[in-house]
Protein backbone atom coordinates (compact mmCIF):
# COMPACT_ATOMS: atom_id res chain seq x y z
CA UNK A 1 0.00 0.00 0.00
CA UNK A 2 2.80 2.42 0.95
CA UNK A 3 4.74 1.51 -2.20
CA UNK A 4 1.66 2.25 -4.33
CA UNK A 5 1.16 5.66 -2.69
CA UNK A 6 4.87 6.43 -3.03
CA UNK A 7 4.68 5.89 -6.79
CA UNK A 8 1.80 8.31 -7.29
CA UNK A 9 2.35 11.04 -4.69
CA UNK A 10 4.97 13.21 -3.05
CA UNK A 11 7.22 12.08 -0.26
CA UNK A 12 5.23 13.94 2.36
CA UNK A 13 1.99 12.16 1.41
CA UNK A 14 3.29 8.62 1.68
CA UNK A 15 5.15 9.59 4.83
CA UNK A 16 1.86 10.70 6.40
CA UNK A 17 0.15 7.49 5.21
CA UNK A 18 2.90 5.37 6.76
CA UNK A 19 2.63 7.29 10.03
CA UNK A 20 -1.15 6.79 10.17
CA UNK A 21 -0.77 3.04 9.55
CA UNK A 22 1.61 2.83 12.50
CA UNK A 23 -0.24 5.19 14.87
CA UNK A 24 -3.78 3.82 14.36
CA UNK A 25 -3.24 0.36 15.90
CA UNK A 26 -1.05 1.90 18.61
CA UNK A 27 -3.82 4.29 19.70
CA UNK A 28 -6.34 1.43 19.87
CA UNK A 29 -4.40 0.02 22.85
CA UNK A 30 -5.67 2.94 24.95
CA UNK A 31 -9.10 1.30 25.10
CA UNK A 32 -7.84 -1.91 26.70
CA UNK A 33 -8.64 -2.53 30.35
CA UNK A 34 -5.74 -3.38 32.60
CA UNK A 35 -6.17 -6.24 35.11
CA UNK A 36 -6.33 -5.32 38.76
CA UNK A 37 -2.91 -4.59 40.22
CA UNK A 38 -1.62 -7.20 42.66
CA UNK A 39 1.14 -6.25 45.05
CA UNK A 40 4.25 -8.30 44.46
CA UNK A 41 6.80 -9.36 47.08
CA UNK A 42 9.85 -7.23 47.72
CA UNK A 43 12.01 -6.18 44.79
CA UNK A 44 14.91 -8.40 45.81
CA UNK A 45 12.65 -11.47 46.04
CA UNK A 46 11.05 -10.65 42.70
CA UNK A 47 14.48 -10.17 41.09
CA UNK A 48 15.67 -13.57 42.34
CA UNK A 49 12.55 -15.23 40.96
CA UNK A 50 13.01 -13.56 37.59
CA UNK A 51 16.68 -14.57 37.52
CA UNK A 52 15.83 -18.18 38.26
CA UNK A 53 13.22 -18.24 35.48
CA UNK A 54 15.68 -16.69 33.01
CA UNK A 55 18.30 -19.32 33.84
CA UNK A 56 15.75 -22.07 33.44
CA UNK A 57 14.64 -20.65 30.11
CA UNK A 58 18.08 -19.99 28.59
CA UNK A 59 20.48 -22.51 30.09
CA UNK A 60 18.69 -25.85 29.89
CA UNK A 61 19.98 -28.04 27.00
CA UNK A 62 16.55 -28.28 25.40
CA UNK A 63 15.97 -24.52 25.35
CA UNK A 64 19.57 -23.63 24.48
CA UNK A 65 19.20 -25.38 21.11
CA UNK A 66 16.04 -23.34 20.53
CA UNK A 67 17.96 -20.13 21.27
CA UNK A 68 20.61 -21.08 18.72
CA UNK A 69 17.91 -21.59 16.10
CA UNK A 70 16.44 -18.16 16.81
CA UNK A 71 19.75 -16.40 16.06
CA UNK A 72 20.61 -18.61 13.05
CA UNK A 73 20.05 -17.34 9.47
CA UNK A 74 17.52 -19.96 8.23
CA UNK A 75 14.03 -18.57 8.53
CA UNK A 76 15.15 -14.95 9.02
CA UNK A 77 13.53 -13.89 5.74
CA UNK A 78 16.09 -11.12 5.39
CA UNK A 79 15.90 -11.16 1.58
CA UNK A 80 12.45 -9.51 1.74
CA UNK A 81 14.05 -6.08 2.03
CA UNK A 82 16.17 -6.65 -1.08
CA UNK A 83 13.51 -8.12 -3.37
CA UNK A 84 12.31 -4.72 -4.66
CA UNK A 85 15.92 -3.57 -5.11
CA UNK A 86 16.96 -6.50 -7.31
CA UNK A 87 13.75 -6.55 -9.40
CA UNK A 88 15.30 -4.34 -12.10
CA UNK A 89 18.02 -6.96 -12.66
CA UNK A 90 15.27 -9.44 -13.57
CA UNK A 91 13.45 -7.09 -15.93
CA UNK A 92 10.54 -6.43 -13.54
CA UNK A 93 8.99 -2.97 -13.72
CA UNK A 94 7.86 -0.80 -10.81
CA UNK A 95 4.16 -1.65 -11.08
CA UNK A 96 4.77 -5.40 -10.75
CA UNK A 97 7.23 -4.81 -7.90
CA UNK A 98 4.60 -2.83 -6.01
CA UNK A 99 1.97 -5.53 -6.35
CA UNK A 100 4.09 -8.63 -5.76
CA UNK A 101 5.93 -7.10 -2.78
CA UNK A 102 2.99 -5.03 -1.53
CA UNK A 103 -0.57 -6.30 -1.52
CA UNK A 104 0.37 -9.63 -3.08
CA UNK A 105 3.23 -10.08 -0.63
CA UNK A 106 0.95 -9.39 2.31
CA UNK A 107 -1.57 -11.97 1.13
CA UNK A 108 1.16 -14.54 0.48
CA UNK A 109 2.68 -14.07 3.94
CA UNK A 110 -0.77 -14.23 5.53
CA UNK A 111 -1.38 -17.52 3.71
CA UNK A 112 1.99 -18.78 4.94
CA UNK A 113 1.13 -17.80 8.52
CA UNK A 114 -2.13 -19.75 8.32
CA UNK A 115 -0.31 -22.72 6.80
CA UNK A 116 2.04 -22.63 9.78
CA UNK A 117 -0.95 -23.22 12.04
CA UNK A 118 -1.62 -26.50 10.25
CA UNK A 119 1.88 -27.90 10.75
CA UNK A 120 1.66 -31.06 12.89
CA UNK A 121 2.70 -30.40 16.48
CA UNK A 122 5.95 -32.37 16.65
CA UNK A 123 9.16 -30.92 18.14
CA UNK A 124 8.99 -27.17 17.53
CA UNK A 125 12.75 -26.91 17.04
CA UNK A 126 12.70 -29.42 14.21
CA UNK A 127 9.61 -27.78 12.69
CA UNK A 128 11.27 -24.35 12.70
CA UNK A 129 14.54 -25.72 11.30
CA UNK A 130 12.70 -27.44 8.45
CA UNK A 131 10.71 -24.29 7.69
CA UNK A 132 13.96 -22.30 7.62
CA UNK A 133 15.46 -24.76 5.14
CA UNK A 134 12.31 -24.48 3.01
CA UNK A 135 12.63 -20.68 3.07
CA UNK A 136 16.21 -20.97 1.78
CA UNK A 137 15.22 -22.84 -1.41
CA UNK A 138 13.62 -19.87 -3.24
CA UNK A 139 16.56 -17.68 -2.21
CA UNK A 140 19.00 -20.10 -3.86
CA UNK A 141 16.62 -20.34 -6.81
CA UNK A 142 16.76 -16.57 -7.34
CA UNK A 143 20.53 -16.55 -7.04
CA UNK A 144 21.40 -19.39 -9.41
CA UNK A 145 18.53 -19.37 -11.94
CA UNK A 146 18.69 -17.08 -15.00
CA UNK A 147 17.62 -13.49 -14.12
CA UNK A 148 14.30 -13.37 -15.97
CA UNK A 149 10.87 -11.95 -15.18
CA UNK A 150 9.26 -15.33 -14.50
CA UNK A 151 12.16 -16.50 -12.33
CA UNK A 152 11.73 -13.40 -10.16
CA UNK A 153 7.99 -13.88 -9.84
CA UNK A 154 8.19 -17.58 -8.99
CA UNK A 155 11.04 -17.11 -6.52
CA UNK A 156 9.38 -14.12 -4.85
CA UNK A 157 5.98 -15.82 -4.50
CA UNK A 158 7.50 -18.92 -2.87
CA UNK A 159 9.85 -16.85 -0.72
CA UNK A 160 7.11 -14.60 0.65
CA UNK A 161 4.86 -17.58 1.39
CA UNK A 162 7.63 -19.39 3.30
CA UNK A 163 8.37 -16.21 5.28
CA UNK A 164 4.83 -16.36 6.65
CA UNK A 165 5.31 -20.03 7.45
CA UNK A 166 8.57 -19.47 9.32
CA UNK A 167 7.11 -16.47 11.18
CA UNK A 168 4.35 -18.61 12.68
CA UNK A 169 6.77 -21.38 13.62
CA UNK A 170 9.23 -18.85 15.03
CA UNK A 171 6.59 -17.51 17.44
CA UNK A 172 5.62 -21.09 18.23
CA UNK A 173 9.24 -21.82 19.13
CA UNK A 174 9.52 -18.65 21.24
CA UNK A 175 6.40 -19.53 23.25
CA UNK A 176 7.65 -23.10 23.71
CA UNK A 177 10.99 -21.86 25.06
CA UNK A 178 9.29 -19.30 27.33
CA UNK A 179 7.18 -22.08 28.85
CA UNK A 180 5.07 -21.38 31.93
CA UNK A 181 4.26 -17.74 32.61
CA UNK A 182 5.82 -17.37 36.06
CA UNK A 183 6.76 -13.82 37.06
CA UNK A 184 8.78 -12.92 33.97
CA UNK A 185 6.87 -14.30 30.99
CA UNK A 186 6.63 -10.92 29.25
CA UNK A 187 10.32 -10.20 29.86
CA UNK A 188 11.43 -13.60 28.55
CA UNK A 189 9.11 -13.32 25.56
CA UNK A 190 10.52 -9.87 24.72
CA UNK A 191 14.11 -11.10 25.00
CA UNK A 192 13.51 -14.14 22.80
CA UNK A 193 11.55 -12.14 20.22
CA UNK A 194 14.44 -9.64 20.07
CA UNK A 195 16.85 -12.53 19.51
CA UNK A 196 14.80 -13.66 16.51
CA UNK A 197 15.44 -10.27 14.87
CA UNK A 198 19.24 -10.55 15.13
CA UNK A 199 19.62 -12.74 12.01
CA UNK A 200 17.39 -10.35 10.06
CA UNK A 201 19.81 -7.52 10.84
CA UNK A 202 23.07 -9.29 10.00
CA UNK A 203 21.68 -11.13 6.96
CA UNK A 204 20.31 -7.88 5.51
CA UNK A 205 23.76 -6.33 5.97
CA UNK A 206 25.51 -9.29 4.32
CA UNK A 207 23.05 -9.41 1.43
CA UNK A 208 23.46 -5.68 0.91
CA UNK A 209 27.21 -6.15 0.59
CA UNK A 210 26.70 -8.98 -1.89
CA UNK A 211 24.21 -6.94 -3.91
CA UNK A 212 26.59 -3.97 -4.14
CA UNK A 213 29.45 -6.18 -5.24
Amino acid sequence: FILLIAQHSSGSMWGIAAALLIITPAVSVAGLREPAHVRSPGFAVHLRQVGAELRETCLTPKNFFGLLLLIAPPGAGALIGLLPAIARDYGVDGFDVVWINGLGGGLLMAAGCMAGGWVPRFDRRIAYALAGALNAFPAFFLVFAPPTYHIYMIGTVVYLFTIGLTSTLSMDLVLDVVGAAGRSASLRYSILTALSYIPIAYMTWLEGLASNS
Side-chain angles (χ1 to χ4, degrees), residues 59-141:
L59 300 182
T60 59
K62 174 186 174 184
N63 287 345
F64 185 70
F65 179 59
L67 295 178
L68 291 179
L69 285 175
L70 288 174
I71 62 175
L79 188 61
I80 189 173
L82 295 177
L83 288 174
I86 64 175
R88 187 183 299 273
D89 299 330
Y90 291 79
V92 182
D93 61 26
F95 180 82
D96 289 338
V97 170
V98 167
W99 283 106
I100 194 63
N101 292 286
L103 177 61
L107 293 174
L108 286 166
M109 287 187 284
C113 287
M114 289 188 290
W118 296 331
V119 173
R121 285 300 179 261
F122 56 95
D123 191 306
R124 289 164 175 81
R125 291 147 193 79
I126 297 175
Y128 178 68
L130 291 175
L134 184 64
N135 181 239
F137 279 117
F140 282 112
F141 176 74

Side-chain angles (χ1 to χ4, degrees), residues 11-30:
S12 59
M13 287 300 297
W14 67 262
I16 292 172
L20 289 175
L21 286 174
I22 296 171
I23 293 172
T24 302
V27 172
S28 65
V29 177

Side-chain angles (χ1 to χ4, degrees), residues 38-47 49 183:
V38 179
R39 290 184 61 85
S40 61
F43 179 74
V45 175
H46 179 74
L47 192 62
Q49 292 173 336
R183 291 191 174 277

Side-chain angles (χ1 to χ4, degrees), residues 137-201:
F137 279 117
F140 282 112
F141 176 74
L142 286 169
V143 170
F144 294 108
T148 65
Y149 177 91
H150 291 96
I151 291 297
Y152 178 86
M153 287 298 176
I154 293 171
T156 301
V157 165
V158 178
Y159 191 81
L160 293 174
F161 177 83
T162 55
I163 285 178
L165 178 67
T166 55
S167 296
T168 295
L169 296 177
S170 173
M171 288 299 100
D172 200 13
L173 176 58
V174 167
L175 292 173
D176 183 63
V177 173
V178 168
R183 291 191 174 277
S184 62
S186 59
L187 172 64
R188 286 177 285 140
Y189 177 82
S190 299
I191 291 173
L192 295 176
T193 302
L195 286 178
S196 69
Y197 287 104
I198 291 176
I200 298 176

